[in-house]
Amino acid sequence: MAGSNCTQATEFILAGFTEAPATQVAQFLLFLLTYLVTVLGNLGMIALIRASPLLHSPMYYFLGNLAFVNLCTSTIITPRMLAGVLLGKKGITYAGCMAQVFTFGLFGMAECFLLATMAYDRYVAVCHPLLYPLVMSPERCSWLVTGSYLLGLTNGAGQTIGMFSLFFCSSSAIDLFFCDISLLISLSTSDTTLSLVILRTASSLLGVPSILVVLVSYVAIISTILSISSAEGKRKAFSTCASHLTAVSTFYGALIFMYLIPRSDTSRGGDKWAAVLYTVVTPMLNPLIYSLRNQEVKEAWRR
């Protein structure tokens, strides 16, 4: 029976990366710098989009919301990790862990659908430019963004409900730097059927469709670009998608490696670095990618 040989956990131990003091100092400085760049980059992108009339279009409306989600995702994870390294405290309370599960589930899924929405936006812009003002009207853009947050909220609430049905021993240690739901399920000493059903249902009904939208959109976009006769026309068409395609590849690549590729417990060594990629690195890179590769953003910064 669950809990017969142990007491319910009131906190979890986050293993992090290393115990070596010198390495921990370097790790702390690296993640602190990354977080500062993330905050400044995403806040700067949000402020720029709101302030510059040049960027008042559907694509940048979606990008502003993506910057907000990136900022929230990073803030959920990185400050807690930095405090643990600085103070030498690896424990996180049960309530704090559940809060991480909920908020990360919310913003992680919202980001999936925002990226899918941005892919659809690029599809309409490249493949049906004459219909773009009608299809991507302000009302429809608002509904798409609102729907992304609501689906994220549904995912976060569902994952958290599944977690509350689990029992954990007081000695539970998570071999990661945040409360990842898949590792929590594997640590539970009670029946994990409900949690696994919720996790797999969310992946199938929410995560997979968002990936399919991105894939179908870019298949159509690439087909349209290849049919353009002039090299200049191809370059301009591709330049409108290059930044988003780079962001999508990084984010979904890490998620697929982390959650959708089946493997044994002994082959999970790359999980920490995949988690760093989509929780720490990607939120930092996105505003840099859009700033460096997008001429309209460059022009708005100059103005």
Side-chain angles (χ1 to χ4, degrees):
M1 174 183 281
S4 59
N5 296 319
C6 62
T7 57
Q8 169 69 1
T10 57
E11 73 170 11
F12 297 92
I13 303 300
L14 300 177
F17 289 93
T18 179
E19 296 287 345
T23 307
Q24 283 189 332
V25 171
Q27 173 191 322
F28 176 82
L29 293 175
L30 178 61
F31 283 115
L32 176 62
L33 177 61
T34 301
Y35 182 63
L36 292 177
V37 173
T38 300
V39 172
L40 293 175
N42 285 289
L43 284 179
M45 184 63 71
I46 293 170
L48 181 67
I49 291 171
R50 291 180 64 88
S52 175
L54 186 65
L55 304 182
H56 290 176
S57 66
M59 182 174 72
Y60 296 106
Y61 174 64
F62 297 137
L63 179 56
N65 281 276
L66 179 65
F68 171 74
V69 168
N70 285 160
L71 182 62
C72 292
T73 301
S74 184
T75 301
I76 292 164
I77 305 297
T78 310
R80 170 64 188 76
M81 177 177 61
L82 291 173
V85 174
L86 184 64
L87 302 175
K89 295 181 179 179
K90 295 189 174 183
I92 180 172
T93 64
Y94 179 86
C97 195
M98 294 303 105
Q100 275 196 347
V101 169
F102 171 74
T103 52
F104 188 71
L106 190 166
F107 291 112
M109 189 59 70
E111 182 166 359
C112 287
F113 277 95
L114 281 174
L115 289 171
T117 299
M118 294 172 73
Y120 176 71
D121 172 76
R122 293 299 84 203
Y123 159 74
V124 177
V126 173
C127 301
H128 304 285
L130 297 179
L131 295 177
Y132 186 80
L134 178 64
V135 175
M136 303 306 294
S137 64
E139 295 79 10
R140 183 164 297 179
C141 291
S142 296
W143 278 111
L144 288 170
V145 169
T146 301
S148 297
Y149 287 120
L150 288 177
L151 289 169
L153 180 62
T154 300
N155 179 63
Q159 305 294 2
T160 308
I161 290 171
M163 287 294 99
F164 282 132
S165 69
L166 300 181
F167 187 94
F168 300 94
C169 287
S170 57
S171 59
S172 294
I174 302 172
D175 189 23
L176 207 59
F177 53 92
F178 70 100
C179 291
D180 174 70
I181 187 169
S182 61
L183 290 182
L184 284 170
I185 291 174
S186 68
L187 287 173
S188 175
T189 57
S190 60
D191 184 6
T192 61
T193 302
L194 176 61
S195 298
L196 287 172
V197 167
I198 293 174
L199 179 61
R200 289 167 182 169
T201 301
S203 299
S204 301
L205 298 183
L206 298 178
V208 173
S210 67
I211 295 175
L212 290 177
V213 169
V214 173
L215 291 176
V216 171
S217 295
Y218 273 102
V219 167
I221 288 170
I222 292 171
S223 177
T224 300
I225 291 176
L226 292 176
S227 67
I228 298 174
S229 57
S230 68
E232 181 63 18
K234 289 181 180 180
R235 187 193 64 79
K236 287 183 178 180
F238 182 76
S239 67
T240 66
C241 308
S243 299
H244 179 255
L245 187 57
T246 303
V248 164
S249 300
T250 304
F251 180 77
Y252 278 119
L255 280 185
I256 290 171
F257 176 83
M258 187 78 175
Y259 295 111
L260 296 183
I261 297 178
R263 56 200 184 277
S264 64
D265 291 338
T266 58
S267 61
R268 303 182 69 95
D271 283 8
K272 288 184 181 181
W273 300 111
V276 168
L277 187 60
Y278 74 81
T279 61
V280 179
V281 177
T282 299
M284 176 192 70
L285 289 180
N286 280 345
L288 298 178
I289 290 170
Y290 282 98
S291 296
L292 296 174
R293 297 184 64 90
N294 193 297
Q295 292 299 324
E296 290 178 327
V297 174
K298 290 180 180 179
E299 180 62 25
W301 277 118
R302 282 194 291 267
R303 292 185 180 184

